[in-house]
Amino acid sequence: MQFKSLLVLASLAITSYAQTTCDAQAILGDLQALLPNIQQSLTDIVARKAALQALPLELVPALFKKDLEILSEDKDTLASSFIACAPDNVIPAGEELLSQINDAFGPAIAAFA
């Protein structure tokens, strides 16, 4: 839940002021730096699906699916907030980053469907 809280706070911070190009590029750079970790984490979750299903707690896979869906929704909120107040010249890079993150979330959510 700490990651979810971080996304919510980041979304609020982003929407609290009009971004300059420099600000937007700095935020985008920070988010882009997280992309490999996000992709690897989601890949690792899918790779460990069998081990999670083998646990004696039947609800574990369902909890992972729900958590992934919530994180994906929060990611969309953060991206929408960023794009809504980013200067026009930064929006394409923001949309590309969102697309790359969506590509990572899709298989992870589908694996637990």
Side-chain angles (χ1 to χ4, degrees), residues 26-108:
I27 293 168
L28 183 62
D30 289 343
L31 294 173
Q32 288 170 328
L34 293 173
L35 180 62
N37 291 334
I38 293 168
Q39 291 168 322
Q40 188 61 53
S41 295
L42 293 168
T43 299
D44 291 347
I45 288 170
V46 172
R48 289 175 175 80
K49 178 184 176 190
L52 293 169
Q53 288 176 319
L55 293 172
L57 305 170
E58 294 177 16
L59 295 177
V60 171
L63 289 173
F64 266 82
K65 179 179 184 274
K66 185 65 176 169
D67 284 346
L68 288 169
E69 289 170 343
I70 290 169
L71 284 173
S72 183
E73 291 169 10
D74 291 341
K75 172 255 316 160
D76 290 340
T77 300
L78 175 61
S80 297
S81 298
F82 175 77
I83 291 170
C85 55
D88 291 342
N89 63 328
V90 180
I91 291 174
E95 290 173 338
E96 173 61 24
L97 177 62
L98 176 60
S99 176
Q100 291 173 320
I101 295 172
N102 285 339
D103 289 346
F105 265 95

